[in-house]
Amino acid sequence: MTRFIIRRVLFGVIVLWLVATTVFLLFFAGPADNVARRLAGPRAPMEVIEQIKDTLGLNRSMWEQYASFLGNLLHGDLGISFISQTPVTTLIMQSLPGTLWLVAGAAVLWMAAGITGGVISAVRPRSVLDRTTTVLVLAGISLPTFVLGMLMVYLALSVFPWTGLQPGPYISPLLDLKGFLQVMIMPWVCLAVVQAAVYVRLTRGSMLDTLGEDYIRTARAKGAPERRVTYRHGLRAALTPVVTQFGVDIGTLLGGVVVTESVFGLQGLGQLMIRSVRYGDLPVIIGAAILASAFIVVANIVVDVAYSFLDPRVRLA
Amino acid sequence: MTVLEVRDLTVRFGETPAVQGVAFEVARGEVLGVVGESGSGKSVSVLAVLGLLPRQAAVTGSVRLHGRELLGAPEKELTALRGRSLAMVFQDPLAALTPVHRIGDQVAEAILAHQDLPRKQARARAVDLLDLVGIPEPGRRARAFPHEFSGGMRQRVMIAMAVANDPDVIICDEPTTALDVTVQAQILDVLGTARRETGAAVVFVTHDLGVVAGLADRVMVLRAGRVEETAPVDDLFFRPRTAYTRNLLAAVPRIDRRHRRSAPPPGGERVLQVEGLVKRYGRGARAVDRVSFAVRAGETFGLVGESGCGKTTTLMEILALAAPQAGRIVVLGRDTAGLTRRERLELRRDLQVVFQDPMASLDPRMTVHDIVAEPLRAHGLAADRVPELLRLVGLDPGQAARYPQDFSGGQRQRIAIARALALAPRLLVLDEPVSALDVSIRAEVIALLADLKARLGLSYLLVAHDLALVRGIADRVAVMYAGRIVEIGPVEAVFAEPRHPYTRALLAAVPVPDPARERARRRAPLRGEPPGGAAAYPGGCRFRGRCPVYAELAAAPASRCVNEEPELGGADGAACHHPSGGTR
């Protein structure tokens, strides 16, 4: 187990290094003038270009630039934002809590709804309940997030203003719990609806397979109550693919929930990324990209370890 | 006293009835055998008794336990009965235990479902039950997961769960079908113990008439969802009333009968020669270890042994037509080690194979014509021989445009044989060619193989675990154990006078479809289980841990078994230091 984790972490480091290198090449390869021009925009005066070349050290050789880029990265130094002139690390740390809370809260909702829905559907396949769920799932998957989000914002502000729910930037729950909930509930639900739909499908399929297994019949033949058969013998074994998907989703979403954050004006990583892409704020883009891949790498390691707990047949090696 | 009474049981899946008007009863301590071929409705009937059929099954008739009607009873009542009064042992122990829970917990669950015990006590009782069914170190093994158990051990666990609540009826659905023959003998013993301990009535579903002969008091024969006949076991075997039963009995290959056969041409050319073949997977033990044998032109050579003995690995090594890790494989006079790509392709025409499961070995998306034509095309030949090939195996060439799933199991195996014959090979490798088929279909396919051999001058290398089948069709036989050949010789010599203690035990473990003989048999099943492929072998004889001869030996002769690995080559044809039980 320890060996496995060490190996996976080393592997993860290699992935991150590849990502960093790719990003580096993407932005910094080529003659210094071209790079500076790309950063400064087509209409920037020559002085600005010279200044950029100077501050970023674009006149050094590629290898030198690459070495200092990696060195800074290792020290957690992601550079200074062109636009706001604040360290990228600070910007990311400011945006991270909103995204973390958004994904965490939504994850609880969508896992609860998705697994429950999937189990209910699988236990009575082709029943009215199953069919209703299927329709809802289809609706959830096909409904664009921004449409649902805007609908929710409209309802909250115009029809149910007394709820106090409103779009707006993230508020720390430590400072103002009520404000935090009023801001977060809508994004939670919005993100969870889309995700839950996928998880209902996934859980249903996996459960149907498991419930057809011989050991389910054995459990029934023992006289175990149906509830116990469904959850202890069925769901427990059916969870493996669900957990895989969960790991991937969490990793991806932590990198930035672009649409949901935008609709509700939540100042998270997704928003930060959109903004920096729009203004060509290179250091921030690089920082966010590397952070996003780090999340995915870590989530995958966690999933693999979780496997060995879920299924004793899995030997980590 | 009748415990379970079933009347006019009918089960429908949609429009088609799977079971129609089935009726039987079992008394306390009685064993009712239920036999029939696949699709006869035997499993459906017993699952209907337990109410374990899928929801879409419509069940009518009457199932009474101690006079109490179970059909239509509320689910809650049935749940209370299942596992307490009505216990069940299923066929495939590999799939019948939940993979994610510990063995001990699963047995304890059966207890806790019906008895109001503290969890700790239930666990202790579970360990006692595991001990009862013969699981060594039950306390430690209770904490293991199902995948850490062998098939036989898992089936013991199933039996432990079945007897946990002292049931009135134990229903066994093919409980030994997936097991090796020596393990089957052990499990039948354990079931006997279970029956004595509980005094339960037993309903025993099987397709194996030998097992029924030794076990059942009465037998019910099912055919296409209806009862063909029900009779006391002696009457059924010695005075069958219906033609169907008579044919069924006649179709069973008998291990206890000598077969007359035309001797193969003596001293024929060697079509296959294997010398000192070794194969190991990764860094594990050798799955095949210094195996040598030869197949002569016109003969059927049988390779037998239990799962994990290396017979399939041996076969795969031969089919690879490549240099083995050690040793030599010579096909039709050509050493496979030195073949070029082109020569290997050429040689493949002469060496073809028929696999076990015709459903899995035929591509469901290809028509029968394309399947049979494929080897021809692969070798750049015209496909115009296909109709002729289909006729050769007894199929209508007019059906060549259909797909494998439109055919029955036996017909599918004929398609597989036609495909193997397409290139007019000289040696045909048969890997368990009939074990996926029903008894009567089996007989037809065997007859076809015998006929083809005579007409086309083929040689067969037959890999099988069914010893009766091998006795029926092989000329010579090699018995494998733990990667080695332990005995080799003409089939009559080996079967009539087995020299190696393992061969003796293997043959003794095969149930014979003859109740009188089965009753007369004193069964002393081999202990232990065949070692799996990954087991490592210490020096000396690999069989000694299970060997009844070794167990009786004095220290001096026994030391030879520990220190020196026995080799083939003695006058006996057996790799054993004490082939006659140490008396010689």
Side-chain angles (χ1 to χ4, degrees), chain B residues 192-498:
Chain B
T193 311
R195 184 161 59 100
R196 277 193 303 281
E197 290 280 323
T198 59
V202 174
V203 178
F204 195 99
V205 174
T206 181
H207 69 280
D208 187 332
L209 290 161
V211 171
V212 164
L215 195 78
D217 300 307
R218 286 185 306 124
V219 183
M220 173 167 76
V221 182
L222 291 182
R223 178 196 185 188
R226 292 173 185 276
V227 179
E228 188 72 13
E229 70 176 293
T230 306
V233 66
D234 285 351
D235 289 354
L236 189 101
F237 279 89
F238 300 129
R239 295 170 288 281
R241 288 198 308 269
T242 62
Y244 177 74
T245 311
R246 271 194 295 278
N247 290 337
L248 201 60
L249 288 169
V252 184
R254 294 285 295 260
I255 195 166
D256 54 339
R257 295 223 179 115
R258 200 170 275 280
H259 293 259
R260 234 175 298 145
R261 74 195 74 222
S262 51
E269 169 209 6
R270 291 180 165 187
V271 289
L272 171 70
Q273 194 171 349
V274 176
E275 279 170 27
L277 178 66
V278 170
K279 169 74 180 177
R280 71 193 287 187
Y281 293 104
R283 273 174 284 178
R286 289 172 170 184
V288 173
D289 194 5
R290 289 163 287 153
V291 160
S292 304
F293 63 91
V295 181
R296 297 202 186 89
E299 84 172 346
T300 300
F301 186 88
L303 203 52
V304 302
E306 298 180 279
S307 25
C309 74
K311 55 187 194 300
T312 303
T313 306
T314 304
L315 187 146
M316 289 303 162
E317 286 297 289
I318 294 167
L319 288 174
L321 291 181
Q325 290 170 346
R328 232 156 66 93
I329 299 173
V330 181
V331 180
L332 296 167
R334 313 201 56 168
D335 191 323
T336 56
L339 294 176
T340 63
R341 257 179 106 85
R342 202 181 177 81
E343 289 168 331
R344 187 166 295 132
L345 187 69
E346 281 298 304
L347 195 52
R348 258 190 218 297
R349 292 179 61 165
D350 290 317
L351 175 67
Q352 290 288 308
V353 59
V354 176
F355 290 106
Q356 171 172 10
D357 182 354
M359 196 64 250
S361 63
L362 301 176
D363 189 332
R365 286 166 205 84
M366 285 168 78
T367 64
V368 168
H369 179 275
D370 289 344
I371 288 170
V372 177
E374 196 174 31
L376 294 167
R377 292 194 178 124
H379 286 83
L381 303 171
D384 52 3
R385 282 193 63 212
V386 172
E388 177 197 335
L389 285 163
L390 290 176
R391 261 192 301 274
L392 189 65
V393 297
L395 290 172
D396 173 10
Q399 296 187 318
R402 300 171 74 184
Y403 291 88
Q405 51 273 33
D406 300 328
F407 294 84
S408 69
Q411 287 173 321
R412 278 185 219 138
Q413 200 59 307
R414 285 169 192 265
I415 298 168
I417 293 171
R419 174 175 62 181
L421 291 176
L423 295 166
R426 300 188 44 203
L427 174 62
L428 208 53
V429 173
L430 307 169
D431 183 10
E432 302 273 7
V434 297
S435 60
L437 308 176
D438 274 320
V439 173
S440 57
I441 310 296
R442 235 178 242 201
E444 289 170 16
V445 173
I446 291 168
L448 173 70
L449 287 169
D451 177 48
L452 290 171
K453 184 181 144 190
R455 276 165 59 188
L456 305 175
L458 297 167
S459 313
Y460 290 151
L461 170 60
L462 168 72
V463 168
H465 70 278
D466 183 342
L467 296 162
L469 168 75
V470 172
R471 180 165 203 181
I473 64 175
D475 302 303
R476 290 192 309 128
V477 64
V479 182
M480 285 189 76
Y481 186 81
R484 303 222 65 191
I485 291 181
V486 296
E487 183 157 7
I488 188 166
V491 77
E492 279 313 326
V494 172
F495 277 64
E497 277 183 81

Side-chain angles (χ1 to χ4, degrees), chain A residues 8 32 37-38 55 116 141 146 178 200 257 259 291 316:
Chain A
R8 282 306 302 269
R37 173 64 70 192
R38 211 182 304 154
T55 45
T116 316
I141 289 178
F146 67 90
K178 187 165 172 240
V200 168
V257 199
V259 178
L291 181 69
L316 298 181

Side-chain angles (χ1 to χ4, degrees), chain A residues 253-277:
Chain A
L253 289 176
L254 281 180
V257 199
V258 177
V259 178
T260 311
E261 283 180 10
S262 301
V263 171
F264 295 99
L266 203 71
Q267 302 295 335
L269 277 180
Q271 285 272 79
L272 180 67
M273 232 184 288
I274 292 274
R275 234 182 313 136
S276 27
V277 168

Side-chain angles (χ1 to χ4, degrees), chain A residues 10 30 50 52 135 172 191 265 273 314:
Chain A
L10 285 178
E50 284 307 316
I52 288 178
V135 171
S172 165
L191 181 57
M273 232 184 288
V314 175

Side-chain angles (χ1 to χ4, degrees), chain B residues 147-227:
Chain B
H147 71 278
E148 299 169 279
F149 273 48
S150 68
M153 286 297 161
R154 274 182 269 211
Q155 199 57 295
R156 287 172 195 262
V157 174
M158 288 296 292
I159 296 171
M161 295 195 310
V163 299
N165 298 299
D166 215 350
D168 301 322
V169 183
I170 303 176
I171 294 176
C172 306
D173 187 6
E174 305 264 12
T176 59
T177 305
L179 304 176
D180 278 316
V181 62
T182 60
V183 179
Q184 163 171 286
Q186 294 169 4
I187 294 299
L188 291 175
D189 258 25
V190 175
L191 276 170
T193 311
R195 184 161 59 100
R196 277 193 303 281
E197 290 280 323
T198 59
V202 174
V203 178
F204 195 99
V205 174
T206 181
H207 69 280
D208 187 332
L209 290 161
V211 171
V212 164
L215 195 78
D217 300 307
R218 286 185 306 124
V219 183
M220 173 167 76
V221 182
L222 291 182
R223 178 196 185 188
R226 292 173 185 276
V227 179

Side-chain angles (χ1 to χ4, degrees), chain A residues 3-18:
Chain A
R3 280 186 54 156
F4 171 81
I5 293 176
I6 290 172
R7 200 150 34 140
R8 282 306 302 269
V9 169
L10 285 178
F11 190 69
V13 170
I14 293 175
V15 169
L16 288 181
W17 170 70
L18 284 174

